[in-house]
Amino acid sequence: MIDFLADIYPWTKALHIISVISWMAGMLYLPRLFVYHVAAETGSVQSETFKIMERRLLRGIINPAMILSFIFGGALLATPGIVDFAAGWIWIKLAALFFMTGFHGYLSRWRKEFAADSNTHSSKFYRYANEIPTALMVLIVIMVAVKPF
Ligand code: HEM
């Protein structure tokens, strides 16, 4: 199994990058949809359309892309000679992933609130929330690409 993972390493990495791009695209776009959704009147056609877009984005793209990111990322962790667990960067990456996954959970909760017409947050709140996955993504990519320590 371990030898097999070493053989397919470039493919695992390619599939990992494809899945994290898809995960991040959704994580950055969904809070943006919330910013616009706040401005739509409850019960309006526009508000109902946002609900459909948000549900499809979360269930059709963000959730499966997150699962695939963990599967391929986990396979990279298990590939021999790829990660030096004595280095600091991998632990910072894993900590950032913990917060990214937590943010995913919040997005899911906010989507449900919008779906039930019970959102309580302002558009400013979602604008700021949008910065969280951006900052985590920058940190993660610097950790894996630069490996500063
Ligand atoms: C979902 C859980 C994740 C796990 C378990 C994971 C784990 C890993 C591992 C072990 C590597 C191999 C590192 C290396 O080749 O030196 C890797 C590579 C990479 N990861 Fe992740 N990762 C995850 C999510 C993410 C996310 C969310 C991003 C981006 C925001 C990301 C971006 C990358 C990139 C760009 C590489 C390639 C680095 C290189 O050129 O070698 N990963 N990941």
Side-chain angles (χ1 to χ4, degrees):
M1 179 66 182
I2 293 293
D3 285 346
F4 172 70
L5 284 176
D7 290 343
I8 62 162
Y9 167 66
W11 286 101
T12 316
K13 188 147 115 172
L15 292 169
H16 178 59
I17 292 171
I18 293 165
S19 48
V20 296
I21 287 174
S22 311
W23 188 21
M24 289 305 108
M27 294 281 280
L28 298 175
Y29 188 45
L30 189 54
R32 209 62 226 166
L33 281 179
F34 293 159
V35 169
Y36 301 128
H37 196 160
V38 170
E41 205 176 310
T42 304
S44 64
V45 175
Q46 211 181 14
S47 172
E48 295 307 306
T49 308
F50 276 126
K51 287 183 191 177
I52 297 168
M53 289 168 76
E54 288 155 3
R55 192 184 65 236
R56 289 192 181 156
L57 183 61
L58 192 75
R59 297 216 183 133
I61 294 178
I62 307 181
N63 288 349
M66 179 194 69
I67 293 167
L68 291 173
S69 300
F70 271 99
I71 291 173
F72 295 120
L76 288 171
L77 283 177
T79 305
I82 297 305
V83 178
D84 171 9
F85 290 95
W89 68 269
I90 186 67
W91 299 105
I92 295 186
K93 174 170 178 172
L94 292 175
L97 283 169
F98 175 80
F99 289 110
M100 189 76 88
T101 309
F103 187 77
H104 187 134
Y106 275 104
L107 285 182
S108 187
R109 183 205 280 189
W110 295 329
R111 188 205 70 78
K112 282 189 196 131
E113 288 174 1
F114 273 111
D117 291 323
S118 61
N119 166 57
T120 52
H121 302 295
S122 64
S123 68
K124 201 171 175 187
F125 172 86
Y126 291 114
R127 261 180 234 275
Y128 285 125
N130 217 346
E131 303 304 329
I132 296 171
T134 310
L136 290 172
M137 177 195 65
V138 169
L139 179 65
I140 290 171
V141 172
I142 291 172
M143 287 304 120
V144 289
V146 182
K147 299 187 173 75
F149 39 84

